[in-house]
Amino acid sequence: MPEDMMVPAGPYKLPKQFRREQMRRQKKDLPWSKRVFDMDEKKLFGRTAWAWLRITLFYLTLYIIISIIAGFWILLFKYVLISKDHPMSAKKTPGVSLVPHNSTTISFIPHEPATIYPIADTIEEFLLSLKDNAMDFFSDFNEDELWGYKTGKPCIFVRLNKVIGFKPDTYDTPEELPKDAPSELVDIIRKHGGSPRIWLSYKANSKPSPTILYYPGPFFDTTRMSGVERVVAVQLNNMPANVDVELDFKVWARNIPIEDRYNGKGHARITLHMNTQAALKAPERNRFAVARDSERKNAPGKERSRAKPITFFIKEPSI
């Protein structure tokens, strides 16, 4: 083979790769001012006017197409797939929850701060979060400054969780109630009917059962469905000592189904145990108690008309 046809051995670089490396070296050697705006090449941040126009048009077209597709599906769900008489929220019905939260059993000893302060602080944290003058609105159940747990009259708050767009379909007459509704609910509707309300019923598994005192009543006002109007305060009087009292609260409306298997769907359960054991060391109150006292001192006059709490006695089943 002729020597002029022989290629010496060694590393080789393709012309395109070589040009790229040369361009990188040239860019690296450029001063920072030319990297921002190069008058010779007519480039801004390394791109010409035509290059900036092309990339702008590309992304503008891309986002317009994405917006059209997203808007199409939103309109489809809003006006075609979702009925007008249903809320647009993915969660169609509000859940039911209780304050204080029932993890297992709420056990307390009257006159013993170590067992009462954490419960009272949980209640006060919840009421302050409502931002609807709730501390003053429910003050009738807080005569002992510890929501009745000091005097053996514990207070529980039944809350309907907020669902945007939810419009309750209420039972306005006793004849409209389902067959499985408790008998005392008939008397409640006859006494407090006349305006659309979501009704609240109660059942206890202990004998004797505690006496129930409601505020503002055994119902949720559907006028505004926010703030304190989504909450009913329940005071338990004549609590049996050293007994687990399991309470089951149910809300009644046509479009709030009650599923007994799942706590929080149309009903909520809580267990209280009032015992008479020895005294425990009293802890310090936390910041929510301090905020509660400050709110009471600085609160203006009562903004809502108040009525007397409603007493409700559970009828014992006839044998």
Side-chain angles (χ1 to χ4, degrees):
M1 179 181 293
E3 292 184 0
D4 57 349
M5 298 295 295
M6 297 178 62
V7 180
Y12 292 90
K13 293 183 179 179
L14 298 176
K16 188 175 182 180
Q17 183 180 358
F18 177 76
R19 286 197 301 269
R20 287 180 178 177
E21 290 184 359
Q22 187 177 9
M23 290 174 63
R24 282 197 294 267
R25 285 195 298 269
Q26 291 176 355
K27 289 181 180 180
K28 187 176 180 181
D29 295 336
L30 284 174
W32 67 270
S33 57
K34 281 201 170 186
R35 294 181 188 179
V36 176
F37 184 68
D38 190 350
M39 291 290 294
D40 299 331
E41 299 290 337
K42 296 181 180 180
K43 292 182 179 181
L44 178 64
F45 293 104
R47 293 180 184 272
T48 62
W50 172 239
W52 278 114
L53 179 62
R54 284 184 300 171
I55 195 171
T56 302
L57 291 176
F58 171 77
Y59 281 106
L60 183 62
T61 305
L62 175 65
Y63 287 122
I64 289 176
I65 294 174
I66 293 175
S67 301
I68 292 174
I69 295 174
F72 169 77
W73 283 108
I74 291 173
L75 294 175
L76 181 65
F77 276 102
K78 184 176 180 180
Y79 295 105
V80 179
L81 300 181
I82 299 179
S83 303
K84 294 183 179 180
D85 56 345
H86 284 76
M88 293 183 60
S89 172
K91 188 176 181 181
K92 296 183 179 180
T93 58
V96 184
S97 58
L98 300 175
V99 178
H101 177 69
N102 180 29
S103 55
T104 53
T105 299
I106 296 178
S107 180
F108 67 98
I109 306 172
H111 306 290
E112 298 303 330
T115 62
I116 297 173
Y117 282 176
I119 300 174
D121 290 336
T122 301
I123 293 175
E124 288 159 5
E125 177 185 0
F126 162 68
L127 294 178
L128 290 173
S129 68
L130 292 178
K131 299 178 181 179
D132 199 12
N133 199 24
M135 294 287 293
D136 179 69
F137 187 69
F138 296 111
S139 61
D140 287 349
F141 288 167
N142 193 26
E143 294 180 358
D144 62 353
E145 303 294 326
L146 291 170
W147 299 102
Y149 287 87
K150 182 178 180 180
T151 56
K153 298 178 180 180
C155 182
I156 299 170
F157 294 86
V158 185
R159 173 180 60 181
L160 276 178
N161 299 329
K162 188 175 182 180
V163 173
I164 298 175
F166 174 73
K167 295 181 179 179
D169 187 4
T170 59
Y171 297 110
D172 299 327
T173 62
E175 291 75 18
E176 298 176 1
L177 289 171
K179 295 181 180 179
D180 58 344
S183 58
E184 60 268 14
L185 197 58
V186 176
D187 299 331
I188 292 176
I189 295 180
R190 287 176 179 171
K191 184 177 180 180
H192 304 287
S195 60
R197 287 170 171 172
I198 298 175
W199 305 103
L200 178 66
S201 68
Y202 152 86
K203 181 181 179 181
N205 68 347
S206 65
K207 293 184 180 181
S209 298
T211 304
I212 296 296
L213 193 64
Y214 294 100
Y215 188 81
F219 51 79
F220 299 90
D221 193 356
T222 61
T223 304
R224 190 165 58 106
M225 290 299 291
S226 63
V228 295
E229 292 183 359
R230 294 188 294 111
V231 180
V232 173
V234 180
Q235 188 180 68
L236 307 177
N237 298 323
N238 304 320
M239 276 284 295
N242 304 317
V243 175
D244 285 344
V245 180
E246 183 179 334
L247 312 173
D248 190 4
F249 297 93
K250 293 184 178 181
V251 295
W252 298 89
R254 298 179 190 273
N255 53 350
I256 302 181
I258 299 175
E259 299 184 20
D260 293 327
R261 294 181 299 172
Y262 305 103
N263 191 20
K265 293 190 175 182
H267 74 110
R269 296 188 181 97
I270 190 172
T271 302
L272 275 78
H273 184 94
M274 183 178 70
N275 56 48
T276 55
Q277 296 179 359
L280 299 176
K281 183 180 179 181
E284 296 181 357
R285 298 304 301 275
N286 68 10
R287 61 187 178 91
F288 297 111
V290 176
R292 184 277 316 273
D293 297 335
S294 176
E295 182 183 271
R296 180 179 289 107
K297 292 179 181 179
N298 300 326
K302 298 180 180 180
E303 300 177 358
R304 297 176 179 270
S305 59
R306 296 181 62 83
K308 293 183 178 180
I310 298 175
T311 305
F312 187 77
F313 297 92
I314 299 298
K315 297 179 180 179
E316 294 292 340
S318 57
I319 300 177

